C-alpha cells in the first residue's frame, strides 16, 4: 500500500514536470490572433454569426464553431495579461494528463517502466500541438468520453455515462468541429457490445441489454446536445462538410496526411507499432472493442496529423491494461 502511494505521488509529480517541460515547445500560431480578435469582438458585442473582419467575405455567414473558446481566451487575457497563453496551455495539458492517470491509475501503476515509455511517446507526440487553440480542451473531452464509455462497458450499473451529453453541449460550443466524436464513440461501443465471439487472441463479450440501452440513449442525447448552440442543426453537419473541403485539406498543414516521406511523422508510426506490439505480445486477450478503437484512431491519425493525440489518449485505457 505504501509503495503504491509513493508510486502515485511519483507519477503525479512526473506528469506536472512533463507539462512544464512541454511548455518549452509552446508557440503562437496564426490562428491565435484570429481567435483573440474574434473573442474580443464577441466579448463586447455578442456572438458572431457573420463575418465582420474581411473585405471579401464581409457579412457572409460564418460558422463560429469555436465561439465559446474564443471568449474564454479573451477573458483569460483580460485577467492574466500576457501570461494567459502559458496559463491556458499548462492548465489544459496537465488536466489532460492527470485525468488519464487518475481514471486509469491501477493499470498505470502496476508497470512503471511501461508507463514511462508511454508517457515519453505521448510527450514527443504532443510537441507540435501545444498551442492556444480549442483542441487542447477537446483532448480533455475525448479522454472523459472514453473513460465514461469504458466504465459502463465494465460495470452495467455505471451512471458516469450520463455526464456525456452535458460535456457534449460544452464541446459543441468550444470546439464544435470535433464534438461529433461523442456520439461516434457511443456508436462504436454500442455496435461492439452486440457481438460475442473468440478468434485467436481477439475476443468479444456481448454486453447486457441494460448497457446497450444506455449506450443507445446517450448516443441520441449527444446528437441532440450538439445542436444546442447558436448555429443549431448546422453544427451537427459541420464536421462532415468540413472534412469534404478539399481547399482546406490541401492547403492547411495540420490537415495533411501522415507520411513516411516526412521524418517528423515517424514518431506517430513508432507509437502505432508500440501499441501493435503490445497487443501481439501481451499474454492477455485483446478485447474486440479495444481492437476496433485502435483501428479507428489509427485511421484518423494517418488521415490527418491533427488527430495524432487521439491515439495516446484513447490507447491509455487499453495498452496499460495489456502490459
Amino acid at each position: 500500500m505504501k509503495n503504491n502511494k509513493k508510486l502515485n505521488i511519483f507519477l503525479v509529480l512526473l506528469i506536472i514536470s512533463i507539462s512544464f517541460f512541454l511548455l518549452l515547445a509552446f508557440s503562437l500560431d496564426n490562428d491565435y490572433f484570429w481567435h483573440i480578435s474574434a473573442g474580443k469582438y464577441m466579448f463586447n458585442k455578442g456572438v458572431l454569426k457573420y463575418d465582420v473582419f474581411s473585405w471579401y467575405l464581409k457579412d457572409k455567414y460564418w460558422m463560429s464553431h469555436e465561439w465559446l473558446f474564443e471568449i474564454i481566451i479573451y477573458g483569460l487575457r483580460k485577467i492574466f495579461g500576457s501570461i494567459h497563453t502559458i496559463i491556458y496551455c499548462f492548465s489544459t495539458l496537465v488536466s489532460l494528463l492527470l485525468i488519464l492517470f487518475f481514471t486509469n491509475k491501477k493499470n498505470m501503476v502496476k508497470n512503471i517502466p511501461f508507463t514511462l515509455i508511454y508517457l515519453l511517446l505521448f510527450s514527443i507526440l504532443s510537441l507540435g500541438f501545444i498551442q492556444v487553440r480549442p483542441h487542447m480542451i477537446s483532448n480533455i473531452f475525448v479522454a472523459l468520453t472514453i473513460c465514461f464509455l469504458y466504465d459502463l462497458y465494465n460495470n452495467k450499473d455505471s451512471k458516469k455515462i450520463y455526464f456525456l451529453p452535458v460535456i457534449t453541449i460544452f464541446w459543441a460550443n468550444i470546439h464544435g468541429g470535433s464534438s461529433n466524436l461523442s456520439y461516434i464513440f457511443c456508436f462504436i461501443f454500442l455496435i461492439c457490445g452486440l457481438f460475442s465471439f473468440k478468434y485467436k487472441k481477439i475476443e468479444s463479450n456481448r454486453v447486457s441489454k441494460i448497457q446497450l440501452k444506455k449506450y443507445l440513449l446517450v448516443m441520441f442525447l449527444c446528437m441532440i446536445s450538439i445542436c444546442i448552440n447558436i448555429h443549431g442543426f448546422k453544427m451537427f453537419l459541420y464536421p462532415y462538410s468540413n472534412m469534404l473541403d478539399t481547399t482546406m485539406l490541401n492547403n492547411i498543414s495540420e490537415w495533411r496526411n501522415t507520411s513516411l516521406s516526412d521524418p517528423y511523422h515517424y514518431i506517430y508510426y513508432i507509437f502505432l507499432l508500440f501499441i501493435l506490439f503490445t497487443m501481439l505480445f501481451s499474454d492477455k486477450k485483446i478485447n474486440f472493442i479495444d481492437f476496433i478503437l485502435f483501428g479507428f484512431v489509427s485511421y484518423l491519425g494517418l488521415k490527418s496529423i491533427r488527430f495524432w493525440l487521439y491515439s495516446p489518449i484513447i490507447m491509455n485505457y487499453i495498452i496499460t491494461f495489456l502490459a
Side-chain angles (χ1 to χ4, degrees):
M1 183 67 74
K2 287 184 178 180
N3 287 337
N4 278 345
K5 186 176 181 179
K6 289 180 180 179
L7 288 175
N8 290 339
I9 294 172
F10 165 73
L11 286 174
V12 168
L13 292 175
L14 178 63
I15 284 170
I16 295 172
S17 300
I18 288 173
S19 300
F20 273 116
F21 172 76
L22 288 175
L23 286 179
L24 297 175
F26 162 72
S27 63
L28 281 179
D29 65 341
N30 292 334
D31 270 14
Y32 164 77
F33 301 101
W34 170 265
H35 288 313
I36 203 70
S37 296
K40 180 180 180 179
Y41 183 95
M42 290 187 283
F43 189 89
N44 294 305
K45 298 185 179 181
V47 178
L48 283 169
K49 293 179 71 174
Y50 298 91
D51 187 6
V52 298
F53 297 111
S54 67
W55 62 270
Y56 183 70
L57 295 175
K58 187 172 177 60
D59 297 328
K60 296 293 184 181
Y61 190 83
W62 176 33
M63 178 60 75
S64 48
H65 69 111
E66 301 162 331
W67 72 270
L68 184 55
F69 159 76
E70 289 159 347
I71 291 177
I72 290 171
I73 283 299
Y74 180 69
L76 287 176
R77 191 175 79 166
K78 284 181 69 70
I79 296 170
F80 298 106
S82 60
I83 64 168
H84 73 283
T85 55
I86 302 298
I87 290 173
Y88 172 78
C89 289
F90 176 76
S91 60
T92 51
L93 184 59
V94 76
S95 296
L96 171 63
L97 287 171
L98 288 176
I99 286 170
L100 291 175
F101 172 66
F102 283 110
T103 56
N104 194 32
K105 181 169 59 175
K106 180 180 177 182
N107 289 324
M108 293 187 77
V109 169
K110 73 178 182 181
N111 190 334
I112 293 297
F114 186 88
T115 297
L116 293 178
I117 295 173
Y118 161 77
L119 288 173
L120 174 63
L121 291 173
F122 183 99
S123 301
I124 297 173
L125 279 172
S126 299
L127 288 175
F129 301 95
I130 312 300
Q131 299 164 341
V132 187
R133 298 181 62 187
H135 70 264
M136 301 283 284
I137 301 177
S138 283
N139 290 337
I140 294 173
F141 291 150
V142 169
L144 291 173
T145 297
I146 298 300
C147 172
F148 295 159
L149 292 172
Y150 264 119
D151 197 66
L152 176 58
Y153 189 85
N154 296 316
N155 175 19
K156 67 178 182 179
D157 297 320
S158 173
K159 293 181 173 59
K160 293 179 183 178
I161 193 172
Y162 294 121
F163 286 107
L164 194 49
V166 178
I167 288 173
T168 303
I169 294 174
F170 287 101
W171 200 344
N173 289 278
I174 288 174
H175 195 198
S178 64
S179 58
N180 60 328
L181 288 173
S182 62
Y183 70 81
I184 289 176
F185 283 127
C186 284
F187 178 75
I188 291 174
F189 274 80
L190 173 65
I191 296 301
C192 291
L194 293 171
F195 299 101
S196 180
F197 66 86
K198 291 183 180 180
Y199 178 74
K200 296 185 179 179
K201 285 202 68 173
I202 300 175
E203 65 177 14
S204 179
N205 297 310
R206 181 184 173 90
V207 300
S208 69
K209 290 182 179 180
I210 293 175
Q211 289 163 296
L212 290 174
K213 288 178 180 177
K214 286 184 178 180
Y215 283 132
L216 185 62
L217 173 62
V218 172
M219 182 180 76
F220 281 116
L221 289 176
C222 287
M223 294 170 79
I224 294 171
S225 296
I226 289 173
C227 300
I228 303 176
N229 65 85
I230 61 170
H231 301 285
F233 185 68
K234 290 180 180 179
M235 187 63 73
F236 186 87
L237 300 175
Y238 174 72
Y240 302 104
S241 61
N242 206 30
M243 293 288 286
L244 296 175
D245 187 342
T246 54
T247 301
M248 179 191 69
L249 297 176
N250 293 331
N251 294 284
I252 299 179
S253 60
E254 67 182 44
W255 279 99
R256 68 183 186 273
N257 295 336
T258 303
S259 172
L260 282 171
S261 63
D262 190 335
Y264 170 65
H265 294 185
Y266 289 177
I267 184 59
Y268 185 69
Y269 287 105
I270 291 172
F271 184 77
L272 292 186
L273 289 173
F274 172 64
I275 299 170
L276 187 60
F277 286 160
T278 302
M279 287 182 166
L280 291 175
F281 295 104
S282 172
D283 57 359
K284 298 183 177 68
K285 294 288 186 179
I286 301 171
N287 201 320
F288 182 55
I289 180 62
D290 299 345
F291 181 74
I292 294 299
L293 284 175
F294 170 61
F296 179 65
V297 296
S298 297
Y299 165 76
L300 289 178
L302 292 172
K303 183 176 178 60
S304 171
I305 66 172
R306 67 176 288 138
F307 298 128
W308 278 4
L309 280 186
Y310 290 166
S311 291
I313 290 170
I314 294 169
M315 290 299 108
N316 170 71
Y317 299 99
I318 298 172
I319 58 171
T320 50
F321 169 74
L322 293 173

